[in-house]
Amino acid sequence: MNILVINGPNLNLLGIREPDLYGKQDYKALVKLVEDTCAQEGIGVEVFQSNHEGVLVDKIQAALGTVDGIVINPAAYTHTSVAILDALKAVALPAVEVHISDVSQREEFRQVSYAGRACIKTYMGLGLEGYRQAILYLKEFLKQNEKSGTEA
Ligand code: CA2
């Protein structure tokens, strides 16, 4: 089982400001948490971050045929990007959305998630732990799907 973990704009700056919203841990800690979780679970993983919408779209497109599922935190593009939504729909890979902060309790413009419409589940407000939960959920989903795919 191989997955891709995608992070959107400014997440590379984690830990430098707004600890009340995003915690004190930096992006390196996020990558380590994801890699350690995947190693424990026997999952192959690539962790990718970009500040550019088109680069994120390219990465989602390139995931088709190379990974089994996606964990994505599109960051600010969550609330604006139909292009990322369309890319997720186009590849039709199981995707789980993560937000470090609880976007449901923040500004009104953060209440909309375009990417979330193409995701099977969303974790928010759990800090970096949300990534771990998302990986475990995706693993179970893929295992179930594998089974149902082989049933007569
Ligand atoms: O809660 C999340 O994970 C978000 O996706 C984070 C985004 C925000 O635009 C979304 O609404 C919710 C922001 C990413 C990082 O922003 C930073 C801000 C200050 C310092 C470091 C990172």
Side-chain angles (χ1 to χ4, degrees):
M1 187 182 292
N2 289 296
I3 68 166
L4 173 64
V5 176
I6 300 179
N7 286 303
N10 298 309
L11 284 164
N12 55 316
L13 297 181
L14 273 183
I16 69 158
R17 246 182 291 283
E18 303 201 72
D20 294 349
L21 281 172
Y22 303 123
K24 287 181 183 158
Q25 290 185 289
D26 62 8
Y27 187 70
K28 226 174 116 182
L30 191 166
V31 173
K32 185 172 165 21
L33 179 140
V34 167
E35 289 179 346
D36 288 353
T37 303
C38 288
Q40 277 161 22
E41 298 296 324
I43 303 168
V45 67
E46 180 187 357
V47 189
F48 181 81
Q49 190 276 333
S50 176
N51 295 325
H52 305 280
E53 186 176 15
V55 174
L56 295 167
V57 169
D58 286 343
K59 195 66 187 177
I60 294 165
Q61 288 187 11
L64 189 58
T66 66
V67 298
D68 302 300
I70 295 173
V71 170
I72 185 162
N73 182 348
Y77 290 137
T78 304
H79 320 297
T80 62
S81 180
V82 178
I84 289 174
L85 167 63
D86 286 347
L88 289 170
K89 280 186 167 174
V91 299
L93 287 165
V96 179
E97 179 185 23
V98 178
H99 295 290
I100 297 168
S101 65
D102 185 355
V103 283
S104 73
Q105 300 300 313
R106 296 182 63 190
E107 302 95 324
E108 207 177 327
F109 65 84
R110 293 186 209 269
Q111 311 293 316
V112 172
S113 171
Y114 288 99
R117 291 173 175 234
C119 292
I120 54 173
K121 176 105 177 155
T122 297
Y123 290 92
M124 59 175 78
L126 301 177
L128 299 192
E129 169 64 15
Y131 286 84
R132 208 178 69 80
Q133 296 290 328
I135 291 162
L136 298 178
Y137 184 88
L138 186 57
K139 182 186 175 186
E140 278 316 302
F141 180 90
L142 290 169
K143 264 170 58 184
Q144 291 303 320
N145 224 261
E146 221 173 53
K147 272 187 211 145
S148 63
T150 56
E151 276 163 19

